[in-house]
Structures are given as C-alpha cells and as structure tokens.
C-alpha cells in the first residue's frame, strides 16, 4: 500500500514500512524496516540537527536553519549543501555541475511503473502491487527527476528506479545517476558483499562498516566474477535466523557501483547504480534517461529470511517465460568431457549413455563452428565445422532427437575473433578506439552492441540457428572483460554512452530471442558466473554458476550465490574426478548431492564411469526429477553454512509445507567427532514427518532436538526427505 498523509509517504508491504517525508522542499528518508502500524508526525521522527558548523544552511524554516548535509536524504545531488556521496550529478551548458532538486508533486497508481528497455521485476494480475512516482525538479536548470517506487506487498519487496528528464531547451550531460540512495539514522552495521574471481565467485565477505565509504563495483562491462551488484547491511548480532538485515540488488548486467558511506554523525548512506566511471549521458532538451532498477528487501529474522524474500520474488516475478514455472531438463554438456576434441560419433556416444541413465538434453559446447579447435578463432562465424560434424548441427540434432533427447547448443554471440570472416568483413564492428591497439581477452574482441546493424546481425544469427526447431536450449556465453570501450559511430558525444548502450543492445537481443523462441530454454554464462545478475535472470531463468565444478568448491559458491539468488537459477553440473579445476576427488554421491539442488546437469563422459557410479547417476536423476520442485519453488533454510564450519546443511521446504529435504555435506571427516546437532526450521510443531526409511518424527522433535551432523568421513553427503504424515 502507498499512503500520503501529513507530508509523509508510507510505502508498506505485508511486513515492512518505508517512509519518505517532505521537509523544507526536500525528500527525507524517515524510516525503512519492520512494518509500522501508525505513522508519527514528521516533527517527531525527523532526524534533524540545527546549525551544525561546516554544514551549509540550505533549509530555513521559521527562522530555524538546518542543512541537507545533516538530514537523511532520499535522492541527494551534487553541488549544494549535502556534501556526502551524491546519487546524481550533471554538467550543464554553462560548464557548472550543480543540481538541486526540490519536491514538486506525486502520483500513486496500481500496478508497476515501466522502465523501457531495461529488465525489472513485474506484477501479474491479482498481485498487490502499487507504484509511487515523486517528481522533483531543479527549476534553474530545467531538469526533473521522477523517483519511481513499486511496492510488492505479498513479496515484501520495494523497487526503485529514477527517470531524469531534461525539460529545458539546452543539452545537459548526466555524469552520475544512481538508482538507489537511502540514508539510515544508524551506522552500527556490518556490510556483506559477494566477492571472488573466476572459478571462485560470490564468496560472502562480512565486515564492519567503518568511517568513510566501502563500495564494490565493476568496470569490466559485465557485472563480473569479482564483485556482484548486491550488498546487505546487517546489525552486529544478525545471523542466519536472528536480527535485522537490509538487502539491495541492482537488476543490471554492466558496470555498477554499490556501497555505503558512514558519516561523522552516524548516518549510513547506502547507494547503488550504474558506475559513473566513463559514463556521460548527453540529454538533449526533451529527452529522458531511465536508471536500472534496484530491489530492496528488509528482514527482521536474519540473513536467511532476506534471502528467501529475494528468492521468491526472483523465481516468480523476475524470471519470465514458460520455463519459469516448469521443471527444466536434466542436461549433459560435453565441455569437460571433450573440450574442443570431438566429432559427431563421440557426442552421440555420450548422448546414448546419458539417455540410458535418464538425461533429457544433450548440449554441444564450444568448438562446433568455423575452424575452432582451441581458444582462438572463428567467433562470429557461426557455421558448423563439417570436419567434426559432417551432417552439420541439423544432422546431429536429428540423431540426438532420435534418441528421444532434446538438443542444445553453446554460442558466444557478443564476440568476434580477429581471425574470422565476420571481422574481415566488418573490422569496425568491434568495440575499439581509433588509433589504439585493442587489447584481446581470450584472443577475442567484443562486438559493438551500440550499433543497430550489429544488434540486427546477432538477431539474424539466432534466427538462422533457431528457426529450424532443431535447438531447444542455448548456452549464451560471454568470455572476457571489456577494454578500450569505444564505438566507431556516434562521434565524441556517443563515447560516454557506450558501456550502458551496450547493455541496452544486449537486453534488446535477449528480449527478441526469448520472445520469438519461447520454447527454447536459455542459460546465461560468462566464463562461469561473471554475469550472475538479475538483468540476465529476467530473460534467462538459469545461469551457469561457475566454471568450478568441484563439489566442495561448489558448496561455497552456491552458498554465496544463494544469499541473493535462488537455487532454481543456478546451473549445477556433476563432473569427472579428479576435478579439472582443483584436482580433488570426491565421491559421485557427493557430486550429485551438491548439484541436485540447482539445475542438474552432467559434464563428463558418462561412458567412462564404472557400473556403481552409473547406478549412482541413474538414482540421482530419478531423485532430482521427484524432488526438484521442492528445491526450485520451496523455501531455503541454511542450517549450517560452509564458511567457518566443517559442514554445509541446507533445508528446503515445499510451498505446501508437506515435504522437507535436508541436504548435508561434510567437508572433512573428524575422528572421535564432536556431537553437533542442527535444528530444523519452520516445520509444523504438531505434525508428524516420515523420512525415507520410514522413521517418524514430530515437527517439535526435529525443531527442538535437531538432527545429528555425521562427521565420520570426508565428503560424506546425505539427502534426507521428510514427508508430512497425518
Ligand atoms: C566458458 C564457459 C564454459 C565453456 C567454455 C567454452 O569458460 O563458462 O562452461 O562453455 O567457455 O569455451
């Protein structure tokens, strides 16, 4: 609900409230947290300090002077009295860079506001969703900011996005336009960010917020392996189950900045949006600019509840298309089985065995096109290599389909190899700067998606590949960070727009292909998980989580990813041992038990397994088909997290609460082990639950006494299913 009374906007979800006040013509953030039953008078809750020295007095009410520098601001601008980190700054034709927005008016309407060209969470008929648009304006410069908010009541989430409008007759350059700025009247937070690198993505880091600014960011043109556009501010005592947690996530796939600034008066300013580095967005008179969306979640029951709120919203109202709601096929991917060294028969051999064990989809990875036999050449020339595949993709797909499997293909559509026909025909189609040698990454260049003809070309590649109906799954890869980001078109003024326009071009293509080919399942990928973000998830319901397929490593990666993103979004494959990334040998059972919670796949030559392991795979797939609904639509409780413990234990509860699955994984066996118990959560106290062995427990017993952690051996894993009985 959104209400406006006594100069206060009250945005409320079922369990949270967000208050914005109007004071001295400014928008003040008054509160975000647990739902309020009543809203006090603004004078009672305004965190105001009059006349602090060195905070210039830009507000004067009834002779009392104060400063926006000391207020908890809602969308601060650069250049006037608030001298903390601004959310917005622009340069005007007179060369000055001062903006001062004042409150103008507001509108409230049912449903969700629009952000043209950008992915966002959406409302469906019947959802209790409403939107607020607050207009602020700088009359001196003729610029307006429309602050858009949407309240997802039953999802307990609030979204924000800003539209900047140049209503003057002159041009202006936006230098920074963040999506979120929110000031908390408290500074005693810990900050959690998800950091890493290739093959070790999204490990949560928790550190006290100290004086100054802590931020994560990307300048790689992708969200990156290194940092993710997510962070949480949590109380010192907050853990998985207890305490307050605020989560912020940007629905965007390019350069971002996300952080928090702690000021001298114990105010914390959290901010998030497009990275201002090399961002200069020229607006002609009458033009407007939309920022990407940020999702805000508040939990009063720890980090776990914050994650569950994100998960449900993302599963149901961020992911889109038919695959959002159906079980996706168990796949086999040939990458770690063959790398570039394959031919039609080898692929079919893998497919046949996979089929016999229950796999449903055969995915052909990199190396099927041009003359590509290694990590160089042919990107852009999406023509089958007939030496490897004499019958082309169509012929192979036909043979795979004859096995009663569907067929999927890897592509890296945003790339071009220097040694490719595409590059020879269009040498200026890549991102580059005239006179500078473009830096290669994995021997390849990035196509300039700001150019319409390049966007059209990529669409035509998909039309060629997908219109025949041979392909029912696409793995969309992107294997480098961007450098020398410039475009051969548009002249000097276009250059500050390239990073963002690239992402708009990317979304245009993703939107086109997913709308035109709704029966094709797309999986996002970027050297593993360098683009694991809400922008991609809007179009593609699953993302390859990491190139690291080791079971133990994956426990950490999937744990960190689950802080914000649901398991239903995580591509998770069982691979060979010794593992190709860390050379560790883990049992087949452990590998399967780790992958079963995500989108299960296999990435090895199943023909090389002994009978025992093959039987284990067959059983895993059978279990997955029976249980994936609980993993992918149920609630996750992280009973024991892998960081700081010798085990990871997750509990999933089905939506109807009738099925409970406990997945436990031991990292390292302990001799003469301590007796640790974990207590199950959110069960019905009075109900009875029966496990696979027929043993019956009461909900109270499982929640009060818990279950014992079995540390007896390295890599011991267990999936226990409890069904509610009457
Ligand atoms: C990336 C992907 C891998 C694989 C290779 C192929 O690294 O993450 O899964 O597809 O590219 O080159």
């Amino acid at each position: 609900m959104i209400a406006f009374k006594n100069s206060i906007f009250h945005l409320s979800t079922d369990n949270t409230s967000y208050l914005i006040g109007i004071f001295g013509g400014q928008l003040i953030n008054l509160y975000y947290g647990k739902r309020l039953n009543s809203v006090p008078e603004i004078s009672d809750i305004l965190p105001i300090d009059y006349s602090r020295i060195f905070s210039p007095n830009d507000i004067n009410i009834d002779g009392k002077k104060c400063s926006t520098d000391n207020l908890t601001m809602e969308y601060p601008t650069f250049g006037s009295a608030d001298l903390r980190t601004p959310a917005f700054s622009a340069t005007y034709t007179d060369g000055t860079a001062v903006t001062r927005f004042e409150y103008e008016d507001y509108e409230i309407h049912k449903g969700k506001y629009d952000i043209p060209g950008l992915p966002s969470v959406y409302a469906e008929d019947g959802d209790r969703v409403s939107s607020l648009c607050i207009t602020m304006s700088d009359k001196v410069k003729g610029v307006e900011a429309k602050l858009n908010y949407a309240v997802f009541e039953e999802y307990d989430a609030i979204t924000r996005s800003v539209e900047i409008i140049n209503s003057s007759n002159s041009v202006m350059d936006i230098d920074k336009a963040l999506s979120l700025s929110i000031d908390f009247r408290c500074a005693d937070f810990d900050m959690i960010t998800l950091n890493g690198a290739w093959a070790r993505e999204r490990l949560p880091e928790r550190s006290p917020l100290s004086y100054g600014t802590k931020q994560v960011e990307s300048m790689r043109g992708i969200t990156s392996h290194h940092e993710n556009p997510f962070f949480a501010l949590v109380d010192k005592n907050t853990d998985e189950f207890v305490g307050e947690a605020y989560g912020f996530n940007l629905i965007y796939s390019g350069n971002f900045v996300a952080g928090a600034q702690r000021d001298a008066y114990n105010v914390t300013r959290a901010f998030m949006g497009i990275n201002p580095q090399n961002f200069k967005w020229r607006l002609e008179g009458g033009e407007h600019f939309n920022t990407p969306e940020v999702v805000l979640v508040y939990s009063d029951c720890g980090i776990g509840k914050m994650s569950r709120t994100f998960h449900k919203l993302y599963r149901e109202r961020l992911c889109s298309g038919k695959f959002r709601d159906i079980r996706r096929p168990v796949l086999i991917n040939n990458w770690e089985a063959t790398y570039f060294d394959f031919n039609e028969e080898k692929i079919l051999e893998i497919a046949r065995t996979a089929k016999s064990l229950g796999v449903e989809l055969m995915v052909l990875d990199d190396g099927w096109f041009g003359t590509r036999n290694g990590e160089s050449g042919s990107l852009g020339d999406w023509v089958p290599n007939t030496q490897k595949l004499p019958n082309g993709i169509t012929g192979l797909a036909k043979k795979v389909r004859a096995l009663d499997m569907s067929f999927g293909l890897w592509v890296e559509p945003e790339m071009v190899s220097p040694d490719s026909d595409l590059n020879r025909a269009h040498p200026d189609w890549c991102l580059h700067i005239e006179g500078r040698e473009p830096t290669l990454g994995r021997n390849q260049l990035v196509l300039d998606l700001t150019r319409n003809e390049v966007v059209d070309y990529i669409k035509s590649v998909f039309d060629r590949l997908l219109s025949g109906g041979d392909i029912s799954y696409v793995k969309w890869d992107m294997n480098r960070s961007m450098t020398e980001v410039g475009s051969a078109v548009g002249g000097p003024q276009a250059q500050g727009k390239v990073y963002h326009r690239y992402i708009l071009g990317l979304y245009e293509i993703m939107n086109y292909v997913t709308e035109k080919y709704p029966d094709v399942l797309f999986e996002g990928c970027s050297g593993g998980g360098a683009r694991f973000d809400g922008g991609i998830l809007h179009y593609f319901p699953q993302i390859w989580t990491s190139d690291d397929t080791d079971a133990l490593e994956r426990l950490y990666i999937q744990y960190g990813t689950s802080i914000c993103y649901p398991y239903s979004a995580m591509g998770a494959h069982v691979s060979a041992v010794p593992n190709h990334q860390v050379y560790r040998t883990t049992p087949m059972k452990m590998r399967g038990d780790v992958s079963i919670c995500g989108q299960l796949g296999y990435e090895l030559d199943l023909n090389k397994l002994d009978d025992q392991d093959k039987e284990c795979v067959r059983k895993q797939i059978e279990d997955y088909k029976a249980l994936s609904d609980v993993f992918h639509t149920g609630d996750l409780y992280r009973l024991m997290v892998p960081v700081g413990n010798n085990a990871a234990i997750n509990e999933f509860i089905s939506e109807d609460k009738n099925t409970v699955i406990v997945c436990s994984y031991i990292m390292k066996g302990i001799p003469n082990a301590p007796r640790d118990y974990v207590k199950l959560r959110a069960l019905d106290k009075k109900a009875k639950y029966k496990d696979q062995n027929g043993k019956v427990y009461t909900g109270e017993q499982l929640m009060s006494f818990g279950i014992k952690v079995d540390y007896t051996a390295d890599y011991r894993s267990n999936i226990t299913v409890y069904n509610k009985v009457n």
Side-chain angles (χ1 to χ4, degrees):
M1 244 176 65
I2 300 171
F4 182 60
K5 207 176 148 196
N6 298 338
S7 300
I8 297 181
F9 296 98
H10 182 190
L11 289 67
S12 55
T13 68
D14 286 353
N15 296 295
T16 70
S17 283
Y18 188 105
L19 300 184
I20 308 160
I22 305 168
F23 174 75
Q26 294 296 313
L27 280 188
I28 313 297
N29 190 287
L30 294 171
Y31 176 82
Y32 182 33
K34 205 178 172 82
R35 188 182 163 122
L36 301 169
N37 290 324
S38 60
V39 176
E41 293 291 318
I42 190 165
S43 52
D44 292 340
I45 51 173
L46 191 71
I48 198 162
D49 303 307
Y50 291 102
S51 291
R52 274 196 195 272
I53 194 154
F54 276 85
S55 287
N57 302 126
D58 57 340
I59 297 183
N60 190 338
I61 289 192
D62 302 332
K64 280 177 140 182
K65 290 177 181 168
C66 67
S67 174
T68 48
D69 202 26
N70 304 136
L71 286 164
T72 48
M73 303 298 289
E74 187 66 13
Y75 198 66
T77 55
F78 172 76
S80 192
D82 183 353
L83 295 161
R84 294 164 292 176
T85 295
F88 180 83
S89 73
T91 310
Y92 301 95
T93 38
D94 59 4
T96 63
V98 176
T99 307
R100 184 177 170 84
F101 289 137
E102 303 264 340
Y103 170 76
E104 279 285 321
D105 59 16
Y106 75 95
E107 260 176 51
I108 295 172
H109 65 86
K110 274 207 154 123
K112 173 80 195 297
Y113 58 80
D114 263 356
I115 322 181
L118 283 164
S120 59
V121 289
Y122 53 87
E124 288 204 338
D125 286 352
D127 289 353
R128 286 181 286 124
V129 174
S130 46
S131 296
L132 164 70
C133 176
I134 306 178
T135 303
M136 306 190 73
S137 75
D138 179 327
K139 294 242 162 34
V140 177
K141 289 300 173 193
V143 50
E144 281 176 23
K146 287 188 181 294
L147 309 189
N148 288 304
Y149 300 79
V151 174
F152 285 71
E153 294 182 33
E154 57 269 66
Y155 287 94
D156 270 329
I158 291 174
T159 66
R160 288 181 61 174
S161 169
V162 180
E163 184 181 7
I164 303 295
I165 302 164
N166 179 0
S167 34
S168 75
N169 295 321
S170 322
V171 296
M172 61 179 277
D173 288 322
I174 304 175
D175 300 313
K176 182 181 190 184
L178 299 186
S179 306
L180 168 83
S181 186
I182 178 171
D183 287 353
F184 292 91
R185 53 166 93 189
C186 157
D188 216 12
F189 286 121
D190 281 354
M191 187 170 180
I192 300 174
T193 52
L194 306 177
N195 315 322
W198 175 80
R200 52 181 174 87
E201 297 93 336
R202 291 174 297 286
L203 192 67
E205 185 191 78
R206 179 171 177 163
S207 55
L209 198 63
S210 53
Y211 195 90
T213 300
K214 173 167 180 181
Q215 69 178 42
V216 288
E217 64 177 338
S218 168
M219 287 187 271
R220 294 166 184 273
I222 46 179
T223 39
S224 86
H225 302 96
H226 307 73
E227 284 160 13
N228 193 267
F230 164 85
F231 72 93
L233 293 177
V234 303
D235 278 350
K236 300 283 174 203
N237 67 339
T238 296
D239 64 14
E240 273 296 310
F241 304 105
V242 176
E244 293 195 295
Y246 296 90
F248 308 99
N249 186 221
L250 189 68
I251 309 292
Y252 191 59
S253 309
N255 288 353
F256 71 89
V257 64
Q261 180 185 31
R262 177 179 178 159
D263 81 359
Y265 308 112
N266 286 344
V267 168
T268 301
R269 171 164 294 177
F271 57 88
M272 189 172 250
I274 293 178
N275 197 322
Q277 183 71 44
N278 201 29
F279 172 86
K280 194 172 269 295
W281 197 273
R282 172 147 295 194
L283 282 186
E284 301 287 338
E287 285 185 345
H288 62 110
F289 176 79
N290 290 89
T291 73
E293 177 159 286
V294 65
V295 178
L296 293 79
V297 163
Y298 163 79
S299 153
D300 61 347
C301 291
I303 300 162
K305 184 174 170 197
M306 177 199 74
S307 300
R308 285 188 291 283
T309 306
F310 275 115
H311 293 176
K312 189 167 167 59
L313 179 72
Y314 285 7
R315 283 191 313 249
E316 298 180 3
R317 295 294 180 267
L318 175 62
C319 293
S320 50
K322 82 168 195 189
F323 292 98
R324 184 190 78 175
D325 299 324
I326 56 177
R327 184 178 70 72
R328 298 169 215 151
V330 178
L331 65 82
I332 176 118
N333 178 308
N334 73 304
W335 178 242
E336 286 198 20
T338 66
Y339 295 103
F340 294 100
D341 181 19
F342 61 83
N343 56 32
E344 187 183 271
E345 188 40 39
K346 231 182 190 175
I347 298 299
L348 289 171
E349 217 183 311
I350 293 172
R352 278 184 216 110
T353 309
K355 170 69 193 172
S356 75
L357 299 175
V359 175
E360 299 159 302
L361 163 70
M362 173 75 228
V363 178
L364 180 60
D365 211 280
D366 195 357
W368 58 267
F369 51 92
T371 53
R372 188 161 167 97
N373 289 311
E375 287 183 5
S376 62
S378 294
L379 293 171
D381 299 344
W382 302 109
V383 180
N385 175 335
T386 44
Q387 273 184 343
K388 291 181 185 174
L389 305 173
N391 304 301
I393 289 296
T394 310
L396 173 61
K398 206 169 152 197
K399 290 183 185 177
V400 170
R401 276 206 310 279
L403 299 172
D404 194 23
M405 291 177 93
S406 49
F407 179 75
L409 199 62
W410 176 98
V411 270
E412 203 181 349
E414 300 157 69
M415 296 294 147
V416 59
S417 301
D419 179 18
S420 66
D421 292 342
L422 181 67
N423 191 47
R424 280 182 282 275
H426 301 286
D428 67 341
W429 271 18
C430 61
L431 292 176
H432 68 285
I433 292 171
E434 211 48 52
R436 284 192 185 280
E437 187 64 29
T439 310
L440 298 181
R442 212 191 191 209
N443 311 304
Q444 60 203 50
L445 297 162
V446 184
L447 286 171
D448 178 358
L449 267 56
T450 71
R451 297 178 66 153
N452 292 336
E453 60 273 48
V454 175
V455 167
D456 288 345
Y457 154 79
I458 297 177
K459 287 179 182 170
S460 77
V461 168
F462 279 106
D463 283 336
R464 206 156 27 81
L465 289 172
L466 301 182
S467 54
D470 297 326
I471 296 168
S472 49
Y473 161 103
V474 168
K475 177 176 171 187
W476 178 314
D477 210 343
M478 195 296 181
N479 275 314
R480 62 161 295 182
S481 303
M482 298 181 196
T483 54
E484 292 85 28
V485 174
S487 176
V489 294
Q493 267 133 41
Q495 303 310 315
K497 292 187 170 182
V498 175
Y499 276 115
H500 181 57
R501 282 193 53 210
Y502 181 98
I503 299 297
L504 294 177
L506 177 74
Y507 291 149
E508 184 185 329
I509 303 166
M510 289 180 168
N511 190 50
Y512 173 86
V513 294
T514 47
E515 283 202 340
K516 189 156 178 194
Y517 303 100
D519 296 330
V520 175
L521 169 63
F522 285 83
E523 177 157 348
C525 176
S526 181
R531 242 181 2 196
F532 208 114
D533 60 65
I536 302 298
L537 263 191
H538 177 68
Y539 302 103
F540 302 167
Q542 62 194 63
I543 300 174
W544 181 225
T545 315
S546 176
D547 275 347
D548 190 340
T549 53
D550 172 68
L552 201 66
E553 298 287 308
R554 270 299 180 114
L555 285 179
Y556 293 92
I557 296 167
Q558 293 176 187
Y559 155 57
T561 306
S562 81
I563 297 286
C564 180
Y565 308 98
Y567 266 90
S568 60
M570 299 184 214
H573 297 178
V574 171
S575 62
V577 289
N579 170 267
H580 293 193
Q581 292 79 39
V582 293
Y583 310 104
R584 183 179 286 125
T585 296
T586 51
M588 178 54 85
K589 174 157 168 49
M590 169 86 162
R591 282 175 272 156
D593 286 351
V594 171
S595 299
I596 199 169
C597 322
Q599 295 296 340
L600 178 65
Y602 290 81
E603 190 149 337
L604 73 173
D605 188 347
L606 292 167
N607 296 298
K608 296 191 174 144
L609 299 185
D610 61 22
D611 288 348
Q612 203 183 343
D613 275 357
K614 276 190 186 150
E615 181 48 29
C616 189
V617 168
R618 203 194 48 71
K619 174 82 173 49
Q620 278 159 14
I621 295 174
E622 200 179 283
D623 288 348
Y624 173 79
K625 289 176 183 169
L627 301 175
S628 64
D629 195 42
V630 183
F631 294 128
H632 298 162
T633 63
D635 267 342
L636 166 70
Y637 289 81
R638 291 178 292 251
L639 304 183
M640 191 181 267
V641 302
V643 176
N645 290 307
N646 196 26
I649 305 181
N650 286 330
E651 173 190 332
F652 294 86
I653 308 189
S654 62
E655 267 188 307
D656 63 10
K657 312 265 183 238
N658 288 337
T659 311
V660 180
I661 308 177
V662 177
C663 309
S664 58
Y665 314 94
I666 304 301
M667 278 96 146
K668 197 168 150 283
I670 308 179
N672 191 19
R675 209 168 25 215
D676 287 347
Y677 288 86
V678 288
K679 294 174 182 171
L680 270 55
R681 301 274 169 168
L683 307 187
D684 176 352
K685 220 160 73 171
K686 294 197 185 113
K688 292 194 169 121
Y689 296 85
K690 192 197 259 182
D691 72 12
Q692 295 107 310
N693 303 318
K695 187 147 193 233
V696 178
Y697 307 80
T698 63
E700 183 171 57
Q701 188 183 345
L702 291 168
M703 290 196 293
S704 307
F705 296 89
I707 52 170
K708 191 163 173 242
V709 186
D710 179 2
Y711 290 119
T712 46
D714 289 358
Y715 317 135
R716 180 174 287 264
S717 64
N718 206 11
I719 306 279
T720 310
V721 184
Y722 300 89
N723 282 304
K724 205 170 177 178
V725 285
N726 292 317

